[in-house]
């Protein structure tokens, strides 16, 4: 890696570290952890490329060097567990205007797609999809839980959507849509996150391997069957951003993660006394079509 490559990588990390215009440290930390994990995997793989070239007589085939993210630990719910899906609240229609085609393979120096100034789409159809995702996550809350418009001490909202162009150099273009909301019950506050990644050309993998690639932390994983769909559910070790998360990969390559935590960092509110969802309910959410965004 030369100096120019290093500068490009550092610049990429900076622009991915958080959704403008907010400067909320908590959000920036979450984004940075995702970027760091992807970068480590990519740089480690690039170190192997010269060896492959040296022993191959023809063109070298460089495989995708980054793995899919995973979600947190989960334990399957017992018989009689109620469905996780209450009637959906009305959601503003998402724009169906076709976005400008992004580069098929990301290269150093390529302009950001669709006229963006960095990775994050703050207006247009992409931003609309992230807002719709946040509204769907809110409408899926079980009775007794709400998601008020709370703010951090800095004044930044705890409810935030984000859409970003997620491709690194050498990867096919793909997008990542996420939504984080505070969850309140009896003046106690936790948080939920939904994240949908469009098909990125990476191969299918074991549900637990997928789930353990999530940037929220590490833990133990169980595979939960939801009407024939295999979902990896991780229950985290202490100290992570989330207590539990689920991951599901569709046949077309779309990946959905749903994560929950009883505690919402940097607030004066006490944490929730119970998880918002059971493990099975979390797995059901990960397979819900309402969270699948494939374009």
């Amino acid at each position: 890696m030369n100096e120019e490559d290093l500068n490009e990588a550092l610049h990429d990390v900076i622009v991915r570290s958080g959704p403008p215009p907010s400067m909320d440290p908590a959000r920036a930390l979450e984004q940075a952890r995702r970027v760091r994990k992807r970068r480590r995997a990519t740089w480690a793989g690039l170190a192997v490329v010269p060896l492959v070239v040296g022993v191959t007589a023809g063109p070298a085939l460089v495989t995708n060097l980054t793995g899919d993210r995973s979600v947190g630990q989960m334990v399957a719910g017992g018989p009689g567990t109620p469905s996780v899906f209450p009637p959906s609240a009305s959601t503003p229609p998402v724009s169906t205007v076709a976005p400008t085609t992004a580069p098929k393979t990301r290269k150093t120096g390529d302009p950001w797609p669709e006229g963006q100034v960095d990775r994050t789409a703050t207006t247009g159809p992409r931003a609309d999809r992230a807002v719709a995702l946040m509204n769907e996550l809110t409408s899926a809350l079980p009775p007794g839980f709400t998601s008020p418009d709370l703010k951090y001490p800095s004044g930044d909202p705890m409810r935030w959507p984000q859409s970003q162009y997620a491709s690194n150099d050498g990867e096919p273009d793909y997008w990542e849509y996420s939504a984080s909301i505070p969850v309140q019950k009896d003046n106690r506050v936790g948080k939920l996150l939904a994240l949908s990644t469009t098909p990125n050309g990476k191969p299918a993998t074991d549900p637990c391997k997928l789930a353990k690639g999530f940037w929220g932390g590490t833990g133990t994983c169980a595979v939960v069957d939801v009407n024939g769909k295999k979902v990896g559910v991780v229950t985290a070790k202490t100290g992570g951003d989330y207590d539990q998360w689920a991951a599901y990969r569709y046949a077309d390559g779309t990946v959905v993660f749903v994560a929950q935590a009883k505690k919402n960092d940097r607030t004066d509110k006490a944490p929730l006394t119970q998880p918002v969802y059971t493990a099975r309910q979390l797995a059901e959410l990960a397979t819900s079509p309402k969270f699948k965004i494939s374009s």
Side-chain angles (χ1 to χ4, degrees):
M1 176 177 293
N2 58 34
E3 183 177 354
E4 181 179 352
D5 292 334
L6 180 59
N7 288 336
E8 173 64 19
L10 291 175
H11 176 265
D12 204 8
V13 171
I14 292 170
V15 297
R16 291 185 57 123
S17 63
S22 172
M23 296 299 290
D24 175 30
R27 196 184 315 175
L29 178 59
E30 289 182 342
Q31 296 299 319
R33 285 172 175 161
R34 272 185 285 177
V35 174
R36 181 179 61 184
K37 177 172 286 188
R38 185 184 290 121
R39 286 297 177 189
R40 284 178 175 173
T42 301
W43 289 348
L46 287 173
V48 179
V49 173
L51 297 179
V52 175
V53 174
V55 298
T56 303
L61 175 62
V62 181
T63 58
N64 199 307
L65 301 173
T66 56
D68 286 314
R69 305 176 185 81
S70 323
V71 289
Q73 168 186 15
M74 173 183 232
V75 179
T81 301
S83 173
V84 73
F85 308 119
S88 295
S90 59
T91 300
V94 178
S95 173
T96 58
V97 177
T100 304
T101 302
K104 291 185 178 181
T105 302
R106 180 72 186 175
K107 301 185 295 296
T108 299
D110 279 344
W112 299 114
E114 302 172 27
Q116 295 172 199
V117 298
D118 57 26
R119 288 187 177 272
T120 305
T122 57
T123 61
R126 302 287 184 186
D128 291 344
R129 289 171 188 157
V131 172
L133 179 65
M134 182 176 69
N135 291 339
E136 292 290 5
L137 185 61
T138 303
S139 71
L141 286 173
F145 293 93
T146 61
S147 181
D149 290 323
L150 301 177
K151 296 185 182 299
Y152 291 107
S154 62
D156 294 309
M158 293 186 189
R159 290 173 55 85
W160 56 267
Q162 176 174 285
S163 63
Q164 69 171 4
Y165 180 71
S167 300
N168 287 319
D169 287 358
E171 294 183 335
D173 61 289
Y174 69 100
W175 288 78
E176 183 179 271
Y177 303 93
S178 61
S180 180
I181 64 173
V183 181
Q184 182 169 301
K185 184 176 184 181
D186 300 329
N187 206 36
R188 293 174 173 269
V189 177
K191 63 180 176 179
L192 293 176
L193 173 79
L195 188 150
S196 184
T197 300
T198 64
N200 56 18
K202 297 174 185 178
T205 186
D206 173 84
C208 278
K209 183 177 180 180
L210 175 69
K212 287 184 176 180
F214 182 62
W215 45 268
T218 60
T220 59
C221 182
V223 176
V224 178
D225 187 298
V226 179
N227 298 323
K229 298 175 180 178
K230 305 300 182 183
V231 183
V233 181
V234 176
T235 300
K237 297 178 180 179
T238 58
D241 294 329
Y242 294 94
D243 303 325
Q244 195 171 57
W245 58 90
Y248 178 67
R249 185 185 190 276
Y250 286 85
D252 68 355
T254 303
V255 174
V256 175
F257 303 97
V258 182
Q260 64 179 352
K262 291 186 290 185
K263 181 181 179 181
N264 199 320
D265 297 332
R266 301 191 307 105
T267 71
D268 57 358
K269 303 289 187 181
L272 298 172
T273 59
Q274 66 183 85
V276 178
Y277 301 110
T278 66
R280 181 164 194 83
Q281 288 174 330
L282 203 64
E284 289 176 358
L285 278 178
T287 63
S288 172
K290 67 173 66 179
F291 297 140
K292 182 178 186 284
I293 309 177
S294 299
S295 62

